[in-house]
Amino acid sequence: MLPQAFTDRMKDMLGEEYTDFLQSYEKTKNQALRLNPLKGDSGRFLELSLFTLTPVPWNENGYYYEETDRPGRSPYHEAGVYYIQEASAMAPAFFLNAAPGEKILDLCASPGGKSTQIAADMQGRGILICNEIHPARAKILSENIERMGIVNAIVLNHSPDVLAEHFPGYFDRILVDAPCSGEGMFRKNEEACREWSPENVRMCAERQDEILDHAAGMLKGGGRLVYSTCTFAPEENEGSISRFLKRHPEFFIVPAEKTVGMSSGNPDWITESTEGIENTVRLWPHKLKGEGHFAAVLQKEGREETKVKSGRYGVEKGMPEKECKEYTAFKREYLKKDMEGCLVRFGDQLYLLPENAPSLNKLKVLRPGLHLGTVKKGRFEPAHALALSLRQEEVFGYVDLALEEAEKYLSGQTFECKERTGWQLITVNGYSIGWGKAAAGIMKNHYPKGLRKNR
């Protein structure tokens, strides 16, 4: 049952389209996934023909899958070959248009769908900061960053005002996928429908104003800010953008590149509109295969800066590699890939930050870059995150498993391996899923116990 106040407002907004909109709630929801190019050629995965996939128009790596498919149960999911993501939710990162080498912030990042999409566009180069204010959700975000094999992401757990103090004028691009009333998710999330109220819409709009103000201060001149929600409420969409532009005349709306089924924002739905609101984007469930979404592309006036600029506390200096002989020995024996970046150590845990990463001083950090592994007395034990970031051609030793064998590996089983010794990258049809260590003809299973499942 949709709330009466909601349906009354939607009827006023949509007029003759309202019947089609209402009928969309009776249709089966569309399900989609996004292939991860960081794992290799997406075309090779498509050739495996595991699922019935049809393209999502606004993302070259996005595909709808059939209701009978079960991609979440496949070893390829654990290998980070794809991210299960609602199709409309792929649009905001598409509009952000991230590029390798940039400094990018995903301000409200959990559970990580948009962050991992941005990371794919960055191709492992540059600095991606993924932030989530709620600790439990930040942990989920961190886990998804790891699963997708991302090497250049820093996961933080802060409120936007803290970050604004730490990173004035720092970022090239910022995504604000703002907390909202969730009207666009009513079709797939009954809880969002039960919690809805006009008062909650107003509360969300006020919170969005505050978040956007902090984001504005973190963007450098010439930078791009994409604002998005998964609600239909004009107060949180066209209204939030109009209010923001009145408070921040240094920003202007950039016309978004609309694809099949996308509609324009409507200035008539708010009392005080500003120039360019029609250049924002709406995604409607009765016009395309996806849920409700809104997006606006904003640009800050000023010239793009070419000089590398640090955060308020400078650049993270890290430690020389020669101070970690255990890691150096492991790398020499097992890795072909040259791991470039800034080494940082927390206790016995070793991480690799991207080059010129900002200082982590006074920040609550859940994931300081790529987790390389654990430094133990006289030896180095590689982290699961490191395995997921590697390809077969980047290591000296690997063992490739078929799907059925991979299922057993993911449940914690060992297997015979007479021709190998030492650390081996375990892959499934070419995609890395973890580590094994071979000795005396047996491959010891190093898939994390906390991730193992009865399969």
Side-chain angles (χ1 to χ4, degrees):
M1 292 290 293
L2 296 172
Q4 185 66 46
F6 168 74
T7 56
D8 289 345
R9 190 198 69 210
M10 296 306 299
K11 190 171 185 178
D12 289 340
M13 288 171 60
L14 295 174
E16 294 179 355
E17 288 186 31
Y18 176 70
T19 300
D20 291 338
F21 171 77
L22 205 58
Q23 288 176 349
S24 71
Y25 285 86
E26 305 300 322
K27 298 178 181 178
T28 302
K29 64 183 180 182
N30 298 288
Q31 301 177 95
L33 57 81
R34 179 175 41 77
L35 298 182
N36 180 11
L38 298 177
K39 284 286 181 174
D41 179 20
S42 296
R44 189 169 69 83
F45 179 77
L46 295 175
E47 292 174 0
L48 295 173
S49 302
L50 292 177
F51 313 121
T52 304
L53 302 178
T54 54
V56 172
W58 46 89
N59 188 284
E60 63 179 351
N61 293 308
Y63 293 88
Y64 299 102
Y65 62 87
E66 298 297 321
E67 191 174 4
T68 52
D69 293 327
R70 294 291 184 269
R73 298 180 182 178
S74 168
Y76 294 117
H77 179 269
E78 307 311 312
V81 179
Y82 49 78
Y83 189 102
I84 297 173
Q85 185 179 26
E86 196 277 311
S88 292
M90 300 178 192
F94 165 75
F95 293 128
L96 191 68
N97 196 26
E102 295 181 321
K103 299 189 292 291
I104 299 179
L105 170 65
D106 187 355
L107 185 54
C108 314
S110 181
K114 298 174 179 67
S115 285
T116 55
Q117 186 177 343
I118 293 167
D121 291 337
M122 296 178 76
Q123 300 173 26
R125 303 195 299 276
I127 299 167
L128 173 60
I129 293 184
C130 313
N131 180 71
E132 173 57 44
I133 190 172
H134 300 290
R137 289 172 57 82
K139 184 175 183 294
I140 295 170
L141 166 64
S142 183
E143 291 168 352
N144 281 322
I145 292 291
E146 175 178 292
R147 182 173 62 85
M148 301 299 279
I150 295 166
V151 301
N152 62 323
I154 301 169
V155 179
L156 303 180
N157 171 216
H158 278 292
S159 58
D161 60 311
V162 173
L163 293 188
E165 181 180 343
H166 204 100
F167 296 107
Y170 179 79
F171 295 101
D172 298 290
R173 299 176 195 266
I174 297 176
L175 176 63
V176 177
D177 185 44
C180 67
S181 56
E183 296 174 1
M185 296 295 109
F186 283 180
R187 189 164 66 159
K188 59 180 290 187
N189 188 339
E190 293 182 4
E191 185 177 353
C193 189
R194 289 194 297 270
E195 292 178 352
W196 183 90
S197 70
E199 293 75 24
N200 188 43
V201 170
R202 286 191 291 272
M203 181 191 71
C204 288
E206 292 173 359
R207 181 170 53 193
Q208 290 154 6
D209 289 349
E210 182 179 351
I211 293 172
L212 278 169
D213 287 345
H214 292 308
M218 290 187 276
L219 192 68
K220 73 180 187 181
R224 170 173 289 203
L225 188 157
V226 170
Y227 171 81
S228 64
T229 71
C230 58
T231 188
F232 302 117
E235 190 174 353
E236 300 179 66
N237 294 334
E238 292 92 345
S240 285
I241 295 302
S242 292
R243 296 190 302 273
F244 174 77
L245 292 176
K246 288 179 180 178
R247 297 191 306 274
H248 296 275
E250 73 275 20
F251 281 81
F252 58 92
I253 297 175
V254 177
E257 180 186 345
K258 299 182 181 69
T259 62
V260 178
M262 293 184 182
S263 305
S264 299
N266 192 332
D268 295 335
W269 289 338
I270 53 178
T271 54
E272 295 184 42
S273 180
T274 55
E275 183 179 353
I277 286 297
E278 67 279 0
N279 290 321
T280 60
V281 180
R282 280 195 175 254
L283 290 79
W284 296 97
H286 63 290
K287 292 187 175 184
L288 47 72
K289 293 175 65 176
E291 305 303 321
H293 241 78
F294 172 87
V297 181
L298 305 170
Q299 186 168 325
K300 191 174 187 178
E301 292 178 347
R303 293 185 302 173
E304 293 190 19
E305 300 173 16
T306 56
K307 184 178 179 182
V308 174
K309 186 176 181 180
S310 64
R312 184 174 294 279
Y313 298 99
V315 173
E316 188 68 35
K317 296 179 180 179
M319 59 181 285
E321 188 175 310
K322 63 182 181 182
E323 293 183 10
C324 192
K325 296 178 181 179
E326 296 87 350
Y327 168 65
T328 302
F330 170 86
K331 189 171 72 166
R332 186 185 305 116
E333 185 174 359
Y334 296 109
L335 302 184
K336 294 180 182 179
K337 183 180 182 180
D338 186 15
M339 307 295 291
E340 297 180 355
C342 172
L343 288 174
V344 291
R345 185 168 172 175
F346 296 87
D348 59 357
Q349 302 303 310
L350 189 67
Y351 291 82
L352 186 71
L353 283 167
E355 293 284 357
N356 297 312
S359 169
L360 304 180
N361 183 36
K362 299 185 179 181
L363 288 174
K364 289 190 288 185
V365 184
L366 272 75
R367 181 168 295 275
L370 175 64
H371 188 199
L372 294 174
T374 305
V375 180
K376 298 190 175 182
K377 189 175 182 179
R379 63 188 176 92
F380 181 80
E381 187 168 300
H384 183 57
L386 176 60
L388 292 175
S389 74
L390 294 169
R391 301 185 188 184
Q392 288 178 340
E393 63 268 23
E394 295 172 335
V395 297
F396 286 111
Y398 65 85
V399 177
D400 194 44
L401 305 178
L403 269 180
E404 185 176 341
E405 296 170 318
E407 293 273 7
K408 296 176 181 177
Y409 168 81
L410 293 172
S411 67
Q413 294 185 30
T414 60
F415 56 89
E416 285 190 4
C417 186
K418 296 180 179 179
E419 69 280 8
R420 305 271 184 178
T421 58
W423 290 102
Q424 302 291 314
L425 186 68
I426 308 299
T427 61
V428 51
N429 287 333
Y431 298 105
S432 59
I433 52 174
W435 291 109
K437 193 172 186 181
I442 298 295
M443 182 69 73
K444 185 178 179 181
N445 194 314
H446 280 263
Y447 192 73
K449 292 181 180 178
L451 298 178
R452 295 177 186 178
K453 301 175 183 177
N454 295 323
R455 291 176 174 267

